[in-house]
Structures are given as C-alpha cells and as structure tokens.
Amino acid sequence: MAMETLTRDVPSSMQHHNNSSVSNMKHSYVQLSKTCLDEDAQINKKLPKELLLRIFSYLDVVSLCRCAQVSRAWNVLALDGSNWQKIDLFEFQTDVEGPVIENISRRCGGFLRQISLRGCQSVGDGSLKTLAQCCNYIEYINLNGCKRITDSTSQSLSQYCKKLLSLDIGSCSMVTDLSLKAISDGCPNLTSVNISWCDGITENGVEALAHGCPKLKSFISKGCTRMTTRAISCLAQHCVKLEVVNLHGCNNIEDEAVIKLANNCNSLKYLCLANCSLLTDSCLVSLAEQCYQLNTLEVAGCSQFTDIGFLALSKTCHLMEKMDLEECVFITDSTLFHLAMGCPRLENLSLSHCELITDEGIRHLSTSTCASEHLAVLELDNCPLITDASLEHLINCHNLQRIMLYDCQLITRNGIKRLRTHSPNINVHAYFAPVTPPPSTGNSRQHYCRCCAIL
C-alpha cells in the first residue's frame, strides 16, 4: 500500500536515490522497518502523532519517501502536508513531470512555503497553475531553467499567490514583460526576483515591476542585454530598499543608472556591474558618497574605471569584503595602496588581467590589516609584472587559502615552493608552459618540435 502511494506521488529516482546521507541511514531504516511493520509497534503507541510529525519534519524529501514505505502509519505521517513546507526537487529534475507537481500540490496545500523546481524542464504551465491554486501561501518559488513555462505561470502566481516573496524565472526563455506586469499586479510583497537570461524582458517589464513591488530588495538580471538605463533608474526610484543588484552583462547601462541607484538605495550591499563597459569613475564616486554598507563590488570588464574611482570607494566603503576588478586595465598600485588602508575586511580580491599591478602594490596589500586577518582569495592571473617578490610579501597573509597565478610569466616554481613552505595549506593555481627542448648537436639533419611539424 505504501509503495503504491509513493510510486503514484513521486518520481522513481526519489525511491532509489543513492546520495551519501541516505546510504548512511539505510541500515537504520531496515531496522525500523522490522520494528514498525506492525501497526502496534511501541514507537507508534508511545509517542503522540504531533511529536512524530515534529520528528518527521526534520527529514529531507528522500528520507520522507523512504519512511513512507515502512508501514501504513508511517506512510500517513511521512506524506502529511505539514512535513512538506520546503521542497527542493533539483536532484530529481530529469524525472519530475507535471503529474508529480500536481500530486505534491494537492498533498501540501496551504502548508507549502518554499519549492525549487530548478532545471525541471518537463514541468509546464498547467502543473504550475495547479500548484498556485492549491498552495496559496507559497512564499518562495524557483523555476530557473524551466524552459517550458510561459507568462501563463506568472499570471497564475499573481492570481492565487498573494504572499509571494521570491520568484526566480532565470533562463525561462519564453517569459516576457507580461510576466513582470502580472507579478506587479498581484504580488505587492515581492522582495526578490531573478530574470537572468530572459531575452523577452525589456525596460517596460522592469518599470511595471518597479511600480508594483516597492518592497523589492534583490534584483538579478544577468545577461539581459535589453536592459536600459531608463529601466534601472525607474527601479532605483521606486524600490529604495534594494540591497542586491546584479546587472552582469547589461552592457547598455550608463553612469546615470548607477548614480540613481547610489542616490536612492543607500542600503545597497551587493552590486555587480561586470561587463557594463560604458561605465566610468563617476558612478564609483557616487557609490562612495552614498552607499557606505556596500560589501561586495563586482566590476570585471569595466575597462574605463581608474584609480580615481577606487580611491573614492576606499575612503568610505570600509565594510568591503569582496572586490572583482578583473580587466580593470587602467588601475595601478595606487588602487591597492588605498584599498589596503580603507578596506580592512577585504577577503576576496581579483586583480586578474590588471597588467599595471606590480610587486609594490602587492607589498602594500600584504602589510595591511585585511591581509593579515581576512584575505583568503587573491587572483592575479595574467599580471605580467608580478614576480616571486610578491609571493614573499604574501607570506604575511596568514589566512590566505587560494591564489591564482595563471600566465604570470615572472613567477617561478621556486617562488611557489617557498610560499607553500610557509603556508602549507594554501591552494596555488599556476601554469608553466613546457620547456622547449634544446637543439640537438652532432647531427646535420634539421629537427623540428612536434608543434612545428603540425603547423
């Protein structure tokens, strides 16, 4: 009976999933099965249903499904909706189809608060409409990579799920502005949205979202090439509580948009502007003047930034923990000097392809408070002026866990060996090109290396 119910309600991979946690519990389940096949087993008689349900509430999906096979009593307990308030089906994505979602929806009802269907490409609008109708109190839903869903899903969520707080529709290629318009109309409490790689979304959808969801704290739109300065300016104007903004690859964004964010959203903590190549130091200066709580700044590929912008940031953004400055090709050792003095909490710093950085900049960094107490990751790929002297300086960085040194041609194996001698737990990523063999002697015949033969 229990197996029939389980087979009907969940994909087969849930029944036979072999992850490590389940393997460790397998023996225990066998013993429990022997004890609990009897409906009058002591554990069922001694403990009240409420306490058993509380114990079951700590189990994951796989464990609940296994428990449902132990006995009729446990089947009822395991499949009780109160145990399915938070569901993540990512590990079963290839097996999850519409009927599974519909069965789960009917079982969970008003108990369900969070569900992740990330990567479940077989799930469509019809199943998600059932989910929305049955689970009115859902707050978090992740549909990232569910490529079959359309605007119809967002319209169902808007109609039935008024308490929705977080929506992830990243990589849902058939979603358009109509989805954001629907969410703005029906979900005024939304605090987080991810629309990354949704090519059908334009500034019109973002403006509708901004007007209807003023409580928004997180806005992620990686790869949305149709995003505009006007859209982000509108978002900044109406969603002043924003703390997380990711505009990676939105290469039409100009300084005006970031300045508007800085002026209106003073609680900003995480900002990604990677590959927004039109931006200049003006927007960094505005961030420095307004956003003192900023702790993560990712600006890889912003090739117009210079020491001037990072000098301004170092004077006020003292909570900075992570900075990705890859391919900020105009920065020099001056930036490192000021970051060393002004950002004592810095843990993760990427300077890859910053070709003007030298050993002197690394020396300043290594003597700072952040280096001695916090710096854990340092990326220096393709910094051609860095030598073994920099590695000597980094010996002072006692918490350094990983350093990237690809294509640093002046770094030697001996330099890395000395660093590892002082810091044996450090993870060094480096590449050394094969040595060209010396020309042969004593033979008049010309020899070519294999590469030359191929060419």
Side-chain angles (χ1 to χ4, degrees):
M1 179 68 175
M3 180 62 76
E4 292 176 359
T5 302
L6 193 64
T7 304
R8 184 173 65 251
D9 286 349
V10 296
S12 58
S13 62
M14 290 189 189
Q15 301 169 40
H16 305 291
H17 190 60
N18 291 320
N19 64 25
S20 58
S21 62
V22 174
S23 298
N24 293 336
M25 298 173 69
K26 187 175 182 180
H27 178 71
S28 300
Y29 284 131
V30 172
Q31 299 301 317
L32 284 170
S33 298
K34 294 178 181 178
T35 303
C36 300
L37 281 172
D38 179 5
E39 295 300 320
D40 294 325
Q42 289 297 312
I43 191 171
N44 297 331
K45 292 167 62 177
K46 294 284 187 180
L47 297 180
K49 179 183 177 181
E50 292 76 14
L51 182 53
L52 285 170
L53 281 173
R54 182 61 183 272
I55 295 171
F56 275 56
S57 70
Y58 290 98
L59 300 179
D60 58 21
V61 172
V62 175
S63 302
L64 284 169
C65 291
R66 287 184 176 273
C67 284
Q69 301 176 61
V70 171
S71 68
R72 290 185 179 87
W74 278 33
N75 181 277
V76 173
L77 291 169
L79 300 183
D80 189 276
S82 62
N83 291 322
W84 296 74
Q85 297 183 42
K86 182 177 180 181
I87 301 175
D88 187 346
L89 299 181
F90 175 69
E91 294 187 38
F92 318 100
Q93 54 178 296
T94 57
D95 297 298
V96 175
E97 296 182 352
V100 174
I101 302 305
E102 292 166 20
N103 286 331
I104 288 177
S105 302
R106 295 187 183 100
R107 181 196 308 145
C108 297
F111 288 106
L112 187 63
R113 294 293 185 275
Q114 302 181 37
I115 187 168
S116 174
L117 303 176
R118 181 166 57 102
C120 298
Q121 297 191 32
S122 297
V123 176
D125 293 326
S127 303
L128 288 169
K129 181 176 182 179
T130 300
L131 175 72
Q133 290 174 329
C134 295
C135 307
N136 302 141
Y137 293 95
I138 195 165
E139 296 175 351
Y140 301 87
I141 184 165
N142 186 340
L143 302 174
N144 198 299
C146 297
K147 297 185 181 298
R148 290 185 59 187
I149 71 168
T150 70
D151 295 324
S152 177
T153 288
S154 296
Q155 290 164 353
S156 296
L157 293 171
S158 171
Q159 183 177 356
Y160 299 107
C161 303
K162 304 298 184 181
K163 295 183 179 297
L164 190 66
L165 298 177
S166 177
L167 175 65
D168 187 339
I169 50 175
S171 299
C172 294
S173 53
M174 292 195 287
V175 164
T176 72
D177 289 336
L178 293 178
S179 283
L180 296 190
K181 179 65 169 63
I183 293 299
S184 70
D185 290 339
C187 306
N189 295 316
L190 196 74
T191 60
S192 175
V193 65
N194 182 359
I195 57 171
S196 298
W197 315 108
C198 292
D199 297 332
I201 291 180
T202 71
E203 63 180 17
N204 295 328
V206 176
E207 289 180 12
L209 182 74
H211 286 286
C213 302
K215 298 179 181 180
L216 206 62
K217 292 185 178 181
S218 176
F219 177 79
I220 300 175
S221 62
K222 293 184 291 184
C224 292
T225 55
R226 301 174 72 179
M227 199 61 56
T228 64
T229 296
R230 173 183 163 185
I232 302 304
S233 297
C234 181
L235 193 73
Q237 180 179 350
H238 296 282
C239 304
V240 297
K241 296 182 179 181
L242 278 169
E243 297 178 1
V244 174
V245 176
N246 191 326
L247 304 175
H248 187 145
C250 300
N251 49 21
N252 292 317
I253 301 298
E254 298 173 309
D255 285 339
E256 179 186 343
V258 182
I259 292 173
K260 198 71 174 267
L261 279 172
N263 290 339
N264 290 16
C265 307
N266 302 146
S267 298
L268 205 60
K269 297 178 181 178
Y270 172 97
L271 179 61
C272 178
L273 302 170
N275 294 324
C276 296
S277 55
L278 299 179
L279 300 178
T280 71
D281 286 330
S282 297
C283 66
L284 294 184
V285 172
S286 292
L287 289 169
E289 292 173 346
Q290 303 289 341
C291 300
Y292 305 143
Q293 298 184 51
L294 197 64
N295 60 44
T296 299
L297 179 66
E298 298 178 0
V299 292
C302 294
S303 56
Q304 297 191 59
F305 289 163
T306 72
D307 294 331
I308 295 173
F310 296 111
L311 166 61
L313 286 171
S314 67
K315 288 183 177 180
T316 57
C317 297
H318 303 308
L319 302 180
M320 197 72 73
E321 296 177 358
K322 178 180 179 180
M323 297 187 75
D324 184 353
L325 312 185
E326 181 174 347
E327 293 185 3
C328 291
V329 294
F330 290 127
I331 66 171
T332 70
D333 292 337
S334 177
T335 288
L336 296 189
F337 176 76
H338 292 294
L339 291 180
M341 292 193 303
C343 301
R345 298 188 181 185
L346 202 58
E347 298 177 3
N348 190 316
L349 177 62
S350 176
L351 300 168
S352 297
H353 295 272
C354 296
E355 299 184 359
L356 301 180
I357 298 295
T358 73
D359 295 331
E360 185 63 13
I362 301 300
R363 184 183 70 81
H364 283 301
L365 186 67
S366 65
T367 57
S368 66
T369 301
C370 74
S372 61
E373 297 182 6
H374 299 287
L375 191 64
V377 177
L378 181 61
E379 299 180 6
L380 297 170
D381 294 340
N382 206 60
C383 291
L385 303 181
I386 296 296
T387 73
D388 288 347
S390 286
L391 302 188
E392 294 286 345
H393 299 320
L394 292 174
I395 290 173
N396 297 323
C397 302
H398 305 298
N399 291 315
L400 196 60
Q401 300 171 13
R402 187 173 84 244
I403 182 170
M404 312 291 286
L405 297 168
Y406 288 112
D407 295 320
C408 293
Q409 299 177 11
L410 300 181
I411 295 292
T412 69
R413 287 184 173 86
N414 288 333
I416 293 175
K417 185 177 180 180
R418 286 193 295 271
L419 176 62
R420 281 179 167 159
T421 300
H422 290 85
S423 306
N425 295 324
I426 195 170
N427 192 352
V428 180
H429 295 257
Y431 171 77
F432 296 93
V435 177
T436 304
S440 59
T441 57
N443 192 333
S444 58
R445 183 179 177 183
Q446 182 68 46
H447 289 271
Y448 297 95
C449 70
R450 292 185 179 182
C451 294
C452 297
I454 293 173
L455 294 173

